Amino acid sequence: MDLLKVGDYMNNHPVTFTPDMTVELAADRLTISNQTGGPVVDEHNKVIGFLSEQDCLALLLKAAYHDQQVAHVRDIMQAEVLSVKPYDGIIDLAQTMLKLKPKLYPVVDDNNHLLGIIGRSHVLAALDKEMNSHYRKAV
């Protein structure tokens, strides 16, 4: 199982956001993609933040209640982002996911350029596939 790597199970084409995008547009992208969040990238595709459904929901609810204009992604994104590398192990990531709150992690190269995302469902699928593989070999 040590051979299971993040890069083999990540989503290579995640929904991303820019800091200047409106939260309304970001929420539309999340809704259409069924993604629960995504990385905020700069013009060089470097990860500079993370935006979740919860971030959007909180702002849109407040805006609807107070009849305010919607803000931009930069106003509500999480600036501190937990990310992983494609060569990181799935087992290590699974253990991290049990301790920390993020459900999605941007996958970045050594220069912090976005390569994809990986979430709990990806990790679960990797572990399930590996376990089924071992089961078939044993039978």
Side-chain angles (χ1 to χ4, degrees), residues 10-16 35 115-117:
M10 69 183 187
N11 171 355
N12 293 306
H13 304 287
V15 170
T16 61
Q35 206 170 283
L115 301 173
I117 61 168

Side-chain angles (χ1 to χ4, degrees), residues 23 27 30 35-38 50-62 76-78 101-103:
V23 175
L30 285 174
Q35 206 170 283
T36 60
F50 194 87
L51 184 72
S52 71
E53 285 177 325
Q54 185 171 350
D55 298 326
C56 293
L57 183 61
L59 184 92
L60 292 175
L61 182 60
K62 181 179 176 183
I76 64 168
M77 71 181 193
Q78 304 298 316
K101 186 174 180 161
K103 296 174 184 155

Side-chain angles (χ1 to χ4, degrees), residues 65-110:
Y65 186 72
H66 295 290
D67 197 26
Q68 297 174 338
Q69 286 202 334
V70 176
H72 293 91
V73 168
R74 72 176 162 273
D75 300 325
I76 64 168
M77 71 181 193
Q78 304 298 316
E80 301 227 0
V81 181
L82 294 175
S83 61
V84 294
K85 306 289 189 210
Y87 48 79
D88 288 344
I90 290 286
I91 299 297
D92 292 336
L93 179 55
Q95 290 171 339
T96 298
M97 287 179 159
L98 289 174
K99 294 180 224 166
L100 300 174
K101 186 174 180 161
K103 296 174 184 155
L104 284 174
Y105 290 77
V107 181
V108 297
D109 65 15
D110 292 330

Side-chain angles (χ1 to χ4, degrees), residues 11-62:
N11 171 355
N12 293 306
H13 304 287
V15 170
T16 61
F17 310 99
T18 62
D20 295 328
M21 184 181 289
T22 66
V23 175
E24 286 176 322
L25 179 57
D28 285 344
R29 283 189 173 189
L30 285 174
T31 302
I32 291 168
S33 71
N34 286 325
Q35 206 170 283
T36 60
V40 180
V41 295
D42 67 11
E43 63 275 3
H44 304 291
N45 205 40
K46 285 192 174 190
V47 176
I48 60 169
F50 194 87
L51 184 72
S52 71
E53 285 177 325
Q54 185 171 350
D55 298 326
C56 293
L57 183 61
L59 184 92
L60 292 175
L61 182 60
K62 181 179 176 183

